[in-house]
Amino acid sequence: MLAFELLGSLGLLIFGMKMMSDSLQKMAGPQLRHVLAAITGNRFSGILAGTFITCAVQSSSATTVMTVSFVSAGLLTLSQAISVIMGANIGTTLTAWIMSLGYNVDLTVVVFPAFFLGLLLIYNKRLRFAGDLLYGTAFVFFSLVLLSATGKAMDLEHNQAVIEFFSSFDTSSYSTILIFLALGTIITCVVQSSAAVMAITILLCSTGVLPIHMGIALVMGENIGTTATANIAALGAGTGARRAALAHLLFNVIGVTWVLCVFYPFVDLVCNIAGFDSSNPAGQATRIPIVLATFHTCFNLTNTILLVGFVPQIEKMVCWLLPEREQDSEDDFKLKYLHANLMQTPEISVLQAQKETAYFAQMTNEMFGLVRKLLNEKKASTREELFTKIEHQEDIADKTEIGIARYLEKISDDHLSSETKNLVRTLLREISELESVADSCYNLSRILKRQHDSGKEFTPDQYHQLQAMTIFTADALNQMNMVMNGRVEDYTIDESYRMENMINHMCKRLKEDNIKAVNEHEYDYSIGTMYTDFVKECEKLGDYIINVMQARFGK
């Protein structure tokens, strides 16, 4: 029963930490996006941002996966990501202090009122995330109370077999330290929670059966093991994301390496800071959690101070270890910025979807550029090549729309802030209209192919008018792309309406001129039909563009 109580308490701790982290991310989601998006090339601002976000969401894994996602989406450079990860390592030390608090203070007086208050809030639509936060916090504290009680009930300090097992290890030997370092790494990789392993470490050390040096070795292993989450998440992502995850691992491995070189003096220094006599630990059980939390803080803080000046070198090292992948074949479709395994936080994932949507808009602009080339190309082989490219791009556009939509659907499965819900709806509307823009580009290319296959040519005046129409349409597409890439403040919806009206007026005039030209036998009816079909499709394309602009401007 004690074993089940221990496992159940750890399970409750992991669940509580996850619930608390998720609710904090949902409550602060939009603000987290703004904080990360505002990071500049200044590595110190990146460290502060990483520290702040990790303290806010109570999960270094969440912060690093967010950061890896941002690198994958092209929103952060690798250098910026490394500085954020350094800050995340500092921010995660708060969790260790929460653990130590749970072992030194009777938290039952706040746990049950927190459960009751959380129950009242969780059914309030506006305050439900605060209710989730209270529930998560209460679960964490309650699990710590249970772990402390279970530790006392296990009475390990009087269990001769356990005492003899740990006594068989020589704490003055580096081989022992390396064994427990590896053990901490493996356990953290398996349970995917450094908080749970920290709780076990505190429990064992507090009973006196696990010497403080071995406990600290476990904590060092936790620092390496916690990097597994981001590295696993980045496996299917792009090279940038995998490099950011590897930088996290490399940073912690370097830190553990230099601490091992000065292990015993460094541990003695930490013990002195925490007021703990490592040579005579008897009667100091209450100081153990503080020692472990102090070591965790000193280790991560010192490691960051030592390595912050070597960010460019770390960047070069991970780039050397992970060179760019060879380009996938055109048949292997893959979204540029979205990776389902990096969906750690819905609020943050929306930024990636925005980036992918902007890239989708750029793709449609390139498609229209191919249409303009096709209009002016006379060589048959080149025309066929251009048409094939446009056809392939249209297929990619269909897959892109579906890919982004599915990604947004997954985001929508979770609770979101009102701002994020509106943003998801906007993105869904935009990708639908962008796919229609791609369809129009493909239709324009089909009209030109039909004209070429018929063996009939547009008259010089028709070519002139069609080129003028494509110029107007290209200008509208360029403006749409500027807005989609975040330059909303540089344009107004009125400018878009003006350009659409110009396209509509020109379309009306060209259709009237075409009827007159056909009646006067300037060219035959079939070439006139293809001419008006092209003009009408440009008019449709202009309508789709204005629909995208309206969605982006919230109209």
Side-chain angles (χ1 to χ4, degrees):
M1 284 305 299
L2 284 174
F4 279 119
E5 285 179 21
L6 177 63
L7 292 172
S9 300
L10 288 172
L12 190 62
L13 173 65
I14 294 171
F15 175 74
M17 290 295 294
K18 185 179 188 316
M19 193 173 185
M20 188 168 69
S21 176
D22 287 349
S23 59
L24 282 164
Q25 290 176 55
K26 290 166 190 172
M27 290 171 67
Q31 286 70 35
L32 292 182
R33 292 204 306 268
H34 300 325
V35 168
L36 272 179
I39 295 171
T40 64
N42 187 330
R43 68 191 67 167
F44 297 103
S45 67
I47 291 171
L48 288 174
T51 304
F52 166 76
I53 292 170
T54 306
C55 288
V57 302
Q58 275 303 291
S59 173
S60 62
S61 294
T63 304
T64 50
V65 173
M66 286 181 206
T67 306
V68 167
S69 300
F70 267 53
V71 175
S72 177
L75 298 167
L76 283 181
T77 65
L78 180 57
S79 176
Q80 292 167 342
I82 293 170
S83 64
V84 175
I85 287 166
M86 287 179 171
N89 274 29
I90 296 173
T92 195
T93 59
L94 181 61
T95 305
W97 286 105
I98 292 173
M99 298 285 118
S100 68
L101 176 69
Y103 278 89
N104 286 293
V105 178
D106 184 9
L107 298 170
T108 53
V109 292
V110 297
V111 167
F112 296 109
F115 275 128
F116 179 71
L117 184 57
L119 180 66
L120 296 178
L121 296 178
I122 208 165
Y123 290 106
N124 184 306
K125 187 176 181 181
R126 191 168 58 87
L127 299 173
R128 67 183 185 278
F129 295 146
D132 288 341
L133 173 60
L134 267 176
Y135 257 112
T137 306
F139 277 131
V140 167
F141 287 158
F142 188 47
S143 67
L144 293 175
V145 171
L146 293 175
L147 280 168
S148 180
T150 304
K152 291 174 184 175
M154 291 172 74
D155 196 26
L156 292 177
E157 60 266 39
H158 297 112
N159 188 315
Q160 196 61 34
V162 174
I163 293 171
E164 287 177 1
F165 172 75
F166 285 111
S167 298
S168 65
F169 293 96
D170 182 8
T171 55
S172 63
S173 169
Y174 264 101
S175 60
T176 298
I177 303 304
L178 290 173
I179 288 170
F180 279 83
L181 170 67
L183 191 62
T185 302
I186 293 167
I187 295 173
T188 309
C189 287
V190 172
V191 301
Q192 289 287 291
S193 173
S194 58
V197 183
M198 175 64 81
I200 295 171
T201 306
I202 293 174
L203 176 66
L204 291 172
C205 288
S206 297
T207 59
V209 298
L210 183 68
I212 191 65
H213 291 83
M214 295 181 188
I216 286 175
L218 284 175
V219 173
M220 290 166 62
E222 292 160 23
N223 275 272
I224 297 176
T226 195
T227 65
T229 305
N231 278 279
I232 291 169
L235 283 177
T239 305
R242 291 186 298 119
R243 283 174 175 173
L246 178 61
H248 187 205
L249 173 61
L250 193 63
F251 174 71
N252 282 3
V253 168
I254 292 172
V256 167
T257 302
W258 71 255
V259 168
L260 283 173
C261 295
V262 292
F263 182 75
Y264 293 100
F266 191 79
V267 171
D268 290 341
L269 175 63
V270 169
C271 289
N272 289 333
I273 293 172
F276 179 82
D277 184 3
S278 59
S279 61
N280 184 25
Q284 301 183 81
T286 57
R287 305 298 300 174
I288 295 286
I290 297 172
V291 173
L292 294 172
T294 303
F295 173 81
H296 198 222
T297 303
C298 290
F299 167 73
N300 284 297
L301 195 58
T302 308
N303 197 34
T304 299
I305 292 170
L306 291 175
L307 296 181
V308 67
F310 297 95
V311 170
Q313 286 73 23
I314 295 173
E315 182 180 10
K316 287 179 182 177
M317 187 176 294
V318 295
C319 288
W320 176 73
L321 291 171
L322 280 178
E324 284 285 354
R325 286 175 173 173
E326 290 185 13
Q327 291 294 318
D328 295 329
S329 68
E330 289 188 346
D331 294 330
D332 298 329
F333 171 75
K334 188 181 291 184
L335 293 172
K336 187 175 178 67
Y337 298 112
L338 300 185
H339 304 281
N341 53 337
L342 290 177
M343 288 180 65
Q344 179 76 7
T345 311
E347 299 283 356
I348 298 295
S349 297
V350 172
L351 270 178
Q352 291 173 262
Q354 276 186 304
K355 188 80 173 178
E356 190 71 54
T357 304
Y359 182 69
F360 190 9
Q362 181 185 330
M363 187 196 307
T364 60
N365 200 9
E366 291 171 359
M367 280 184 73
F368 191 73
L370 293 174
V371 170
R372 295 182 70 188
K373 286 182 179 179
L374 184 60
L375 174 64
N376 296 309
E377 183 58 52
K378 302 299 181 185
K379 190 177 178 182
S381 60
T382 307
R383 287 172 68 97
E384 191 62 36
E385 185 181 329
L386 287 169
F387 178 77
T388 302
K389 282 184 180 179
I390 295 169
E391 191 174 37
H392 178 68
Q393 286 289 84
E394 198 275 334
D395 181 56
I396 290 177
D398 289 342
K399 292 176 181 177
T400 300
E401 181 198 15
I402 293 170
I404 298 175
R406 285 177 177 168
Y407 189 87
L408 292 172
E409 283 172 6
K410 289 180 181 178
I411 294 173
S412 302
D413 286 341
D414 213 334
H415 294 298
L416 301 172
S417 64
S418 297
E419 179 187 338
T420 306
K421 285 179 181 176
N422 290 332
L423 193 49
V424 168
R425 282 194 290 269
T426 297
L427 290 172
L428 286 169
R429 183 180 166 193
E430 287 175 355
I431 61 173
S432 175
E433 298 298 339
L434 286 170
E435 198 278 330
S436 295
V437 171
D439 284 343
S440 274
C441 290
Y442 179 54
N443 289 337
L444 288 169
S445 70
R446 290 176 63 193
I447 293 166
L448 293 175
K449 188 176 188 302
R450 193 169 84 239
Q451 172 257 320
H452 176 69
D453 292 344
S454 70
K456 297 177 181 178
E457 294 291 335
F458 293 126
T459 66
D461 184 61
Q462 283 179 316
Y463 270 117
H464 176 74
Q465 297 297 344
L466 291 180
Q467 285 169 350
M469 174 63 88
T470 58
I471 289 172
F472 282 133
T473 309
D475 288 343
L477 270 170
N478 285 331
Q479 186 189 79
M480 181 192 78
N481 270 273
M482 292 293 185
V483 171
M484 293 293 288
N485 279 286
R487 293 176 55 185
V488 180
E489 67 282 353
D490 295 341
Y491 298 94
T492 64
I493 192 69
D494 293 335
E495 176 65 15
S496 300
Y497 286 138
R498 186 186 68 79
M499 296 184 75
E500 186 201 19
N501 286 333
M502 288 173 62
I503 293 172
N504 290 343
H505 287 314
M506 186 172 185
C507 179
K508 182 180 178 181
R509 179 176 62 80
L510 294 182
K511 284 191 288 187
E512 289 173 352
D513 290 347
N514 177 69
I515 292 171
K516 182 179 177 182
V518 170
N519 287 337
E520 293 178 358
H521 304 290
E522 293 182 18
Y523 43 78
D524 64 30
Y525 181 80
S526 61
I527 197 69
T529 301
M530 288 183 275
Y531 175 71
T532 53
D533 285 348
F534 192 95
V535 171
K536 288 177 185 177
E537 199 61 53
C538 283
E539 184 182 23
K540 285 184 186 178
L541 204 156
D543 292 338
Y544 298 138
I545 292 170
I546 200 65
N547 290 342
V548 174
M549 298 291 277
Q550 286 175 334
R552 181 50 60 105
F553 281 102
K555 301 295 183 180

